[in-house]
Amino acid sequence: MLPVAITGVGVVAASVTTSAELAGVPGAGRWLVGVDGRLDLSGHLDALQLRSFDRASQLAVVAAKLALEDAGGWPGAPSSLGVCLGNTHGCLEAQIALDRAILTEGPQAVSGTLFPYGAFNAAAANVAIVLHARGANLTFATGAAAGTDACAEAARQLQDGCVTCMLGGGVEAPGDAAVLLLESRDAADGRGARTRGMIAGAASRVADDDSRAGFERAAAWSARSALEEAGIVAGDVRLVVGEVELLAKTFDGRSVPTISAESTFGEAPSASGAFQVVLAVLSLRSPAERGPVLCLSRTPEGIVSVIVVTP
Amino acid sequence: MVAPARIVVTGMGPVAPNGVGLPAFWGALVEGRSAIRPVRSVDVSRHPRKVGGEVQDFDPARYMSEETAGRTGRTSQLAIAAGKLALDDARFSEVPDGAFLAIGSTLGDMAEVESMNDDWLRDGTTDPRKIARQNAAGFAPRISRGLGLVGASAVSVHAACSSSNQAVALAARALRDGRCSFALAGGSDAFSRLTFSGFARIGAMAPDHCAPFDRHRRGMLVAEGAGMVVLETLDAATRRGARVYGEILGWGLSCDASHLASPLPDGSALAEAMRSAIAMARLAPSAIDLVGAHGTGTIANDRAESRALYAVLGARAGQVPTTSIKSMIGHTMGAANALQLMACILAMRESMIPPTIHFETPDPDCALDCVPNRARAARTTRALVNGAGFGGSNSCLVVGRCSP
């Protein structure tokens, strides 16, 4: 993977445990954080979007707009901007509600307006519609790994060369989303954009079984592959975001500082991988702690995904 | 500079309304046989529409253990069956470790959600096994484990009805980048009452038959199915003496960024995806001699796709054979692109293009050679396979012929 620059960060969170330290400080990106758990999106969406978008779409659109604002806007052509989101559960509410309408009121009760929200990709599509992003549009539904997988795929889309800029991240209704603006290092430097960090490697594996050992093997393989792709070794890693316990063999007993997205943002499965990358970017603001960050997501269903963020 | 690895198709597994497995699927396509029947899996008594494309007599026990079948929803079962057929067709002496699995779907295991709702309405209960079966987060690992893959990476990618082209693109790139030993890619969707009701509600569904590109076409028909292909690098396939069906030459993705359910009328974003795929294949548009159309049979989709084809292929668009197998099997949603891809690969391999059936009256807005009603013997070498879906997601592949 070519190192891909992170030039914008947009965060929407119903609540964070350390908002005073994170939100609003230079280099942290643009954040919208709920007050007493209440998240007011009305300043960021128009009346139609507030009325017609599902919650996942609203959150994703606001996070994407914040990421673009943070990056100073996107001056490129619409066809050169793509979207890749993790969104596993965002459509479930619509699926249940639409089907219950069929059961209780008959097939004619299905709302033609709501029907497309039964598909997983509605949130990513609405981001594209609002931002006129006509590049690749992808959605991953890999649960707690979806945000990680989406950020990694966004970076890989840039390598294909069909887009010059990607929005990658994850969304979890009712209150969480994180979106990053990614572009090639050359493109970022060319337009004088501030680079917050680089996505340098990524890998994912399904544990062969649900045993602890199975997850450890999958984590070790994913970490090794992602680090190889990034061109660094485990000894270079300064910080792990996620379950470092799965990586005992990777670090050969070395103690590595660790944080978790859950302790900051709470449980937000499809957004958590993107939150991890946000925390990685934040850690890079400290000159003393600048160094590669390994983010690890694990799903109960068996996926272990890793992404490596470097200064 | 090292040339990128060439990616080839070495196994194909169709699970379609017109047949399970390549011989049945291909035979029905070439005969131009319709697989549209009265719907059995969904109660359509209160629906104005009554027909669709269901996989007939599907027995999951032929492809997985009883235990796996019991904890797996029908969309996942269809995908596992398609994957198993593709792996068998690839004739590995031993399936290698380290696969990359990319599976696309529009609604995932929606039938399980519906079954949960049935319980809810009947007695307010919720069966935890159904919750597990509908869990989208488990979709990709469920299929990976159901196929017995070891050391595999797996993603589920969702772009509505262009999902399986996206899945093939992601898998081809993973192989090209050396991130896996081989890849399995495709899509799956089971019949669901939400899909059936929803498409009827938005006026997209035809009453009895699907007639893509016909002037009097009245819409699409909902169907179910799965399609998976095995991809390998040409070097790896050659080393093990594998049968090579075709080559993935390029892919392109785009988004209409216009409307959740209606295509961009001018087809310009779809055209952009076609151009990207052709450019990645390092071909001129004039090299395309076969089109596997998305061809849903709706007024808006067929018109937009026709405009996109004219924008990319120029006046030649009217002469390039452009076939839509949806006329025979209906719209299999997440599986549609993968099944159309197989049809195009076999068309090139067998020098026989499956027809677009139910075609009677040319439409000036869709002035294409849709291979009307009867299969056509013709040698073709470079096919463009189109996918377009809800959310304005477009994905196109260019696939090349490989000599048998």
Side-chain angles (χ1 to χ4, degrees):
Chain A
M1 178 190 290
L2 293 172
V4 166
I6 301 168
T7 57
V9 175
V11 172
V12 179
S15 64
V16 295
T17 56
T18 52
S19 60
E21 294 90 67
L22 294 176
V25 298
R30 296 287 177 93
W31 291 49
L32 176 67
V33 178
V35 178
D36 298 329
R38 281 179 47 82
L39 195 58
D40 182 6
L41 305 178
S42 60
H44 302 266
L45 300 170
D46 64 28
L48 182 65
Q49 292 159 356
L50 285 166
R51 191 173 63 248
S52 63
F53 282 8
D54 69 351
R55 186 66 173 173
S57 294
Q58 292 178 349
L59 295 164
V61 166
V62 173
K65 289 169 84 170
L66 291 172
L68 280 173
E69 286 173 19
D70 185 47
W74 169 242
S79 60
S80 65
L81 176 63
V83 180
C84 186
L85 286 184
N87 179 23
T88 309
H89 309 295
C91 62
L92 184 58
E93 191 178 340
Q95 290 180 348
I96 291 172
L98 286 161
D99 185 53
R100 286 187 178 182
I102 297 168
L103 283 175
T104 55
E105 300 171 55
Q108 74 285 351
V110 173
S111 159
T113 306
L114 291 183
F115 176 49
Y117 287 99
F120 292 89
N121 64 329
N126 273 326
V127 171
I129 290 168
V130 171
L131 300 176
H132 311 293
R134 288 180 58 168
N137 193 280
L138 302 103
T139 297
F140 289 93
T142 42
T148 310
D149 293 342
C151 289
E153 177 56 31
R156 296 194 195 285
Q157 282 292 326
L158 291 168
Q159 284 186 273
D160 280 351
C162 297
V163 290
T164 52
C165 195
M166 284 293 295
L167 290 160
V171 59
E172 189 67 52
D176 296 292
V179 174
L180 308 159
L181 186 68
L182 307 178
E183 48 194 313
S184 73
R185 183 67 179 261
D186 287 347
D189 290 347
R191 69 183 188 92
R194 178 178 48 186
T195 295
R196 309 296 180 74
M198 310 288 291
I199 291 179
S204 177
R205 178 161 273 197
V206 178
D208 293 332
D209 56 58
D210 284 332
S211 68
R212 177 79 182 177
F215 277 98
E216 287 176 350
R217 283 193 298 273
W221 183 90
S222 298
R224 185 172 66 248
S225 300
L227 290 169
E228 275 178 15
E229 191 171 39
I232 59 179
V233 296
D236 296 333
V237 173
R238 297 288 185 88
L239 177 70
V240 170
V241 188
E243 288 182 70
V244 74
E245 299 80 10
L246 292 174
L247 296 169
K249 285 182 182 167
T250 301
F251 294 113
D252 201 20
R254 180 170 75 94
S255 175
V256 184
T258 305
I259 57 176
S260 80
E262 286 73 18
S263 64
T264 301
F265 298 99
E267 293 288 335
S270 289
S272 63
F275 281 149
Q276 288 183 337
V277 178
V278 171
L279 292 177
V281 168
L282 289 172
S283 78
L284 298 177
R285 290 184 305 123
S286 164
E289 296 174 15
R290 285 176 72 84
V293 181
L294 187 151
C295 304
L296 182 147
S297 301
R298 176 176 78 113
T299 77
E301 295 80 11
I303 294 178
V304 180
S305 294
V306 167
I307 198 163
V308 175
V309 179
T310 58
Chain B
M1 184 176 166
V2 179
R6 295 172 64 183
I7 309 302
V8 295
V9 178
T10 57
M12 300 194 282
V15 178
N18 65 346
V20 175
L22 275 184
F25 173 68
W26 179 243
L29 290 183
V30 171
E31 287 177 18
R33 201 188 312 149
S34 173
I36 301 306
R37 305 274 185 278
V39 171
R40 293 189 302 182
S41 60
V42 167
D43 176 7
V44 295
S45 58
R46 292 191 291 172
H47 284 267
R49 303 286 189 252
K50 308 288 184 191
V51 300
E54 294 170 300
V55 178
Q56 304 294 316
D57 304 321
F58 175 69
D59 178 10
R62 293 185 60 187
Y63 310 98
M64 64 203 82
S65 69
E66 200 170 303
E67 184 202 355
T68 299
R71 53 181 158 79
T72 305
R74 184 170 170 93
T75 297
S76 298
Q77 289 178 351
L78 294 171
I80 291 170
K84 182 79 166 52
L85 287 166
L87 287 171
D88 289 349
D89 190 48
R91 301 175 186 166
F92 288 111
S93 55
E94 189 173 345
V95 175
D97 291 358
F100 181 94
L101 170 73
I103 177 76
S105 182
T106 296
L107 294 178
D109 275 304
M110 180 66 207
E112 297 300 317
V113 176
E114 294 173 356
S115 181
M116 287 164 57
N117 274 345
D118 289 335
D119 297 345
W120 164 80
L121 190 66
R122 189 180 60 247
D123 55 18
T125 60
T126 302
D127 183 342
R129 290 170 301 181
K130 292 176 182 174
I131 295 175
R133 288 198 291 255
Q134 66 80 26
N135 177 14
F139 187 47
R142 200 153 52 226
I143 293 160
S144 177
R145 289 179 176 176
L147 289 168
L149 300 178
V150 176
S153 304
V155 294
S156 57
V157 58
H158 302 272
C161 303
S162 71
S163 294
S164 47
N165 267 358
Q166 280 199 358
V168 171
L170 266 55
R173 196 186 49 211
L175 259 175
R176 185 196 67 189
D177 294 350
R179 290 186 282 121
C180 56
S181 58
F182 78 101
L184 257 173
S188 178
D189 267 303
F191 215 92
S192 86
R193 66 178 167 233
L194 175 57
T195 312
F196 196 81
S197 304
F199 278 106
R201 187 71 180 84
I202 64 174
M205 203 188 299
D208 47 16
H209 66 270
C210 171
F213 308 117
D214 187 277
R215 185 168 192 164
H216 303 300
R217 64 190 180 278
R218 297 182 64 186
M220 48 81 79
L221 289 172
V222 170
E224 67 175 356
M228 299 285 279
V229 294
V230 171
L231 305 180
E232 298 178 77
T233 64
L234 179 60
D235 285 349
T238 303
R239 273 198 304 274
R240 72 177 186 90
R243 171 182 50 197
V244 173
Y245 282 113
E247 180 173 2
I248 305 294
L249 297 168
W251 54 87
L253 312 180
S254 73
C255 183
D256 287 355
S258 168
H259 192 275
L260 278 187
S262 300
L264 202 57
D266 67 4
S268 56
L270 177 58
E272 204 51 49
M274 295 180 196
R275 288 192 191 97
S276 295
I278 293 168
M280 185 184 286
R282 298 175 184 274
L283 295 173
S286 58
I288 299 297
D289 55 14
L290 175 65
V291 175
H294 192 61
T296 59
T298 66
I299 298 287
N301 276 100
D302 289 0
R303 188 162 52 205
E305 186 171 12
S306 299
R307 288 175 178 169
L309 284 167
Y310 271 89
V312 174
L313 303 180
R316 277 186 70 247
Q319 283 86 52
V320 177
T322 300
T323 180
S324 171
I325 65 170
K326 290 184 181 71
S327 61
M328 292 177 270
I329 66 172
H331 195 334
T332 54
M333 308 289 149
N337 313 150
L339 293 172
Q340 184 71 65
L341 169 66
M342 292 179 208
C344 285
I345 287 173
L346 290 170
M348 290 187 287
R349 185 178 171 84
E350 304 296 330
S351 296
M352 180 65 69
I353 306 172
T356 302
I357 66 170
H358 301 305
F359 185 85
E360 292 179 358
T361 311
D363 181 349
D365 278 345
C366 306
L368 303 170
D369 171 10
C370 69
V371 193
N373 303 318
R374 282 194 172 77
R376 180 187 302 163
R379 187 178 190 278
T380 53
T381 58
R382 300 283 184 269
L384 175 67
V385 182
N386 292 336
F390 268 14
S393 180
N394 306 301
S395 55
C396 300
L397 302 176
V398 172
V399 58
R401 181 179 197 269
C402 288
S403 298

